[in-house]
Amino acid sequence: MTGKNVSEKFDQGMKTRREVLGDAHVDRAEAAKSKFDLPFQTLITEGAWGTVWSSDKITRRERSMLTIALLAATGNFEEIPMHIRATLRTGASKDDIAEALQHVAIYAGVPKANHALKLAKQTYAEMEETNHD
């Protein structure tokens, strides 16, 4: 435990979240926040972003690779495109993600890795189209 209080964890979490996911994504998520999901949004801001993603024990590049691999391995495909887009800010390359998904294929199953790879390819293609406009 770093000794940071909840408010500091939340503030750090929002800073890290914006650095990794980008202001536009975070602004959309914040605008969609309601009284119903406020406790959950606070939990992930403090826990995922204020603690895990804010740690300096491993790089954001490594964290990106781990996150995408874990999302794929557990079949939580919905957030893979968001984390592929975040690689522009974390430094994880296409080769890094392809290697991480190789591990998913061996240790968690080819179908999961195959689906994650399909999502990654689609997202990279969309990112390239956006850059060429």
Side-chain angles (χ1 to χ4, degrees):
M1 184 103 175
T2 63
K4 288 186 177 182
N5 68 36
V6 171
S7 174
E8 290 172 330
K9 285 283 187 186
F10 186 87
D11 292 345
Q12 180 60 52
M14 285 301 288
K15 179 180 181 291
T16 300
R17 189 175 173 202
R18 287 185 179 282
E19 290 171 359
V20 172
L21 299 178
D23 287 330
H25 174 86
V26 175
D27 289 345
R28 283 191 305 275
E30 286 295 295
K33 192 165 52 175
S34 70
K35 183 178 177 182
F36 177 72
D37 69 344
L38 180 62
F40 177 77
Q41 293 297 323
T42 301
L43 172 70
I44 62 173
T45 300
E46 292 171 357
W49 297 105
T51 301
V52 174
W53 274 90
S54 292
S55 170
D56 62 359
K57 301 298 182 198
I58 62 174
T59 67
R60 287 191 179 165
R61 172 185 164 264
E62 293 164 327
R63 222 170 276 288
S64 248
M65 294 167 63
L66 283 168
T67 300
I68 291 167
L70 286 165
L71 288 169
T74 57
N76 291 298
F77 299 111
E78 188 174 315
E79 290 197 354
I80 288 176
M82 174 183 71
H83 281 280
I84 292 293
R85 287 188 293 274
T87 62
L88 290 175
R89 289 173 289 283
T90 65
S93 69
K94 285 182 181 181
D95 288 342
D96 290 335
I97 300 309
E99 285 296 318
L101 294 176
Q102 294 281 347
H103 281 268
V104 172
I106 297 303
Y107 292 101
V110 170
K112 287 179 178 176
N114 189 44
H115 187 63
L117 192 60
K118 176 183 168 188
L119 293 171
K121 285 171 60 176
Q122 289 171 347
T123 305
Y124 283 128
E126 291 167 6
M127 290 164 62
E128 289 171 9
E129 285 176 19
T130 302
N131 282 342
H132 294 344
D133 289 346

